[in-house]
Amino acid sequence: MPIPTEVVGSLPRPQYLQQAYADYDAGKVQKEDLISAQDRAAEDSVAKMIATGETLVTDGEQRASSFATYPIIDTLGGAGLASNLAADGQYFAIFDDGHHRQLPRLTSGPLKYKTYAFENLQKSMPYAKGHGMKQAVIAPSMLYLLYPLNGTVEGYPKEQFVDDLVAECEKDIRGCFEAGAKRVSIDFTEGRLTAKKDPRNPWTGAGLLKTFVDLNNRVLAKFSPEERADIGIHTCPGGDCDSVHSGEVPYSELLPSLFQMNAGYFLIQLASEKDKASVYTQIGKHIRRDADGVNQVAFIGTINPLDPDVETPEMVAADLEQAVKCGIPKDQLGATDDCGFSPFSIDVKPKHGSPDFARDIAMKKIAARVQGAKLASERLGL
């Protein structure tokens, strides 16, 4: 079988959509105006991604406030925040360029999603006109950070919160499959951050990696091996405003635990990694043939969404061939992008010059990955 390819999920929102978000937050336009801009951008995203040759496409998450906050808030400006959430929660991450992204704080129970990823997928499915689609969802481990790190929520013990969180995430994933998604990937960018130990962001030094892995496995345990073959985990050191949050954390801190999650496949940032060969070797060592009934596949990042220079198919193929030489079995290898191209709805893509230009670049990069995987497959006899 040829080397499979898969996009992570998000695309830069066009300038007109980012302006619509800003105008809506400022009270200058109505919700219907924002929805119209979202629909327009989602339809354009699906059509352009199909044209790249990608096997499974997405709507670029054009309706989501961000990859992490779509279940709980409508816009990054605060619109639609539920009454049991306050805006002063923990930082999700502090990025290398100095900017940060912050989560809300849970003030009372129960936790309930305001929006499910499958609801956005249902709206975009007609745009694909029969072409296969996938959907990304947020990991329960990210939303675990809604609960105070060292405190409690009156009348809502953490154990009950976690039970509710697992149930909501399971509902989100099942709903995506029921809506027609062929694959569902779980965004787990917080994994590498657990080893950063940033004093400005206390949760990154609280030793939460095992807690996160166990929590995500609780959700995965709700699905059969056949279902989990099409449920993936995405990990990266961040990718917002062309900056990262945990690139300095060695993969050796994460990979042994990452593959203990009983998912069928993994989307792993690697194109922008300094020592790719070492990480390929580690993946070959830790990837499992039997993860509670599923054969794991590692989709290695061959495209860097933060860099406006477009990779060539030859560069993609070379990475895939090197990965095999370093120990990743051919039948457990795939190709992906390092991260979503814009996980947050407001992202001016500073290294690119504009989000509109970044959208065009993203499509060229996806096409190069698809072509490069075909080239590597031919060379490797697949």
Side-chain angles (χ1 to χ4, degrees):
M1 186 182 76
I3 295 171
T5 71
E6 184 165 323
V7 70
V8 173
S10 69
L11 292 170
R13 281 64 164 180
Q15 186 58 51
Y16 67 80
L17 178 54
Q18 296 199 34
Q19 188 61 53
Y21 273 112
D23 289 345
Y24 179 65
D25 280 330
K28 296 179 180 179
V29 300
Q30 301 300 309
K31 183 69 173 289
E32 293 74 18
D33 300 307
L34 174 59
I35 291 173
S36 177
Q38 290 172 330
D39 289 346
R40 175 185 168 194
E43 184 172 15
D44 181 70
S45 298
V46 171
K48 287 181 176 177
M49 201 179 294
I50 289 174
T52 68
E54 184 65 273
T55 305
L56 301 177
V57 303
T58 76
D59 65 3
E61 301 176 12
Q62 304 295 286
R63 299 183 180 90
S65 55
S66 79
F67 79 103
T69 57
Y70 71 85
I72 53 176
I73 196 168
D74 294 338
T75 75
L76 293 176
L81 187 66
S83 60
N84 65 337
L85 291 169
D88 60 347
Q90 301 181 77
Y91 289 143
F92 148 54
I94 301 173
F95 289 78
D96 288 357
D97 66 357
H99 86 278
H100 66 266
R101 296 292 189 177
Q102 189 171 15
L103 292 167
R105 174 176 56 88
L106 193 69
T107 59
S108 65
L111 174 74
K112 290 291 181 184
Y113 283 14
K114 175 185 175 69
T115 303
Y116 295 89
F118 65 76
E119 294 175 309
N120 291 333
L121 177 62
Q122 288 170 337
K123 296 174 184 177
S124 294
M125 188 65 72
Y127 303 150
K129 300 176 182 178
H131 194 99
M133 295 192 73
K134 67 157 286 189
Q135 180 62 49
V137 302
I138 189 57
S141 49
M142 172 67 80
L143 297 183
Y144 180 89
L145 298 174
L146 297 175
Y147 203 94
L149 181 62
N150 297 313
T152 59
V153 175
E154 185 176 357
Y156 194 45
K158 182 170 283 189
E159 293 77 10
Q160 183 60 56
F161 162 72
V162 170
D163 288 346
D164 291 343
L165 179 54
V166 169
E168 288 294 272
C169 189
E170 179 192 0
K171 180 178 178 180
D172 207 14
I173 295 171
R174 289 199 184 280
C176 290
F177 284 126
E178 290 168 2
K182 302 299 184 184
R183 308 259 276 187
V184 177
S185 59
I186 300 171
D187 284 325
F188 183 56
T189 185
E190 64 276 14
R192 209 158 166 182
L193 268 169
T194 60
K196 184 165 184 176
K197 299 178 177 62
D198 185 344
R200 302 168 299 171
N201 199 12
W203 78 261
T204 65
L208 289 176
L209 181 56
K210 185 178 187 303
T211 297
F212 284 179
V213 168
D214 291 346
L215 175 56
N216 294 341
N217 266 337
R218 280 188 58 180
V219 173
L220 291 168
K222 303 289 185 179
F223 297 87
S224 69
E226 293 74 22
E227 291 170 323
R228 283 186 287 109
D230 291 319
I231 300 175
I233 302 287
H234 168 240
T235 184
C236 72
D240 181 37
C241 296
D242 293 335
S243 186
V244 299
H245 54 55
S246 54
E248 73 275 28
V249 176
Y251 258 125
S252 58
E253 299 275 353
L254 174 65
L255 290 177
S257 297
L258 183 74
F259 288 108
Q260 289 306 305
M261 286 187 279
N262 295 318
Y265 69 98
F266 297 81
L267 306 171
I268 305 171
Q269 169 267 346
L270 266 165
S272 55
E273 197 68 17
K274 294 180 180 179
D275 185 2
K276 298 179 188 179
S278 171
V279 182
Y280 296 153
T281 300
Q282 292 177 60
I283 291 172
K285 176 182 177 181
H286 294 293
I287 196 169
R288 291 188 288 163
R289 285 287 183 187
D290 184 359
D292 194 20
V294 294
N295 178 52
Q296 295 179 332
V297 178
F299 287 68
I300 64 168
T302 58
I303 296 294
N304 181 2
L306 308 184
D307 186 348
D309 290 338
V310 179
E311 295 83 353
T312 65
E314 177 62 40
M315 292 167 64
V316 171
D319 280 350
L320 293 166
E321 292 172 72
Q322 185 185 24
V324 171
K325 291 177 181 178
C326 289
I328 301 179
K330 295 178 185 179
D331 66 332
Q332 290 183 285
L333 177 65
T336 188
D337 312 311
D338 276 5
C339 185
F341 285 88
S342 273
F344 293 84
S345 55
I346 304 300
D347 182 350
V348 298
K349 300 296 289 184
K351 291 181 181 178
H352 291 72
S354 77
D356 292 338
F357 179 69
R359 278 175 70 83
D360 293 339
I361 291 296
M363 298 306 170
K364 292 178 181 178
K365 284 174 172 275
I366 293 170
R369 171 171 46 75
V370 172
Q371 294 163 18
K374 289 179 180 178
L375 181 59
S377 296
E378 293 170 0
R379 292 176 177 174
L380 293 168
L382 298 173

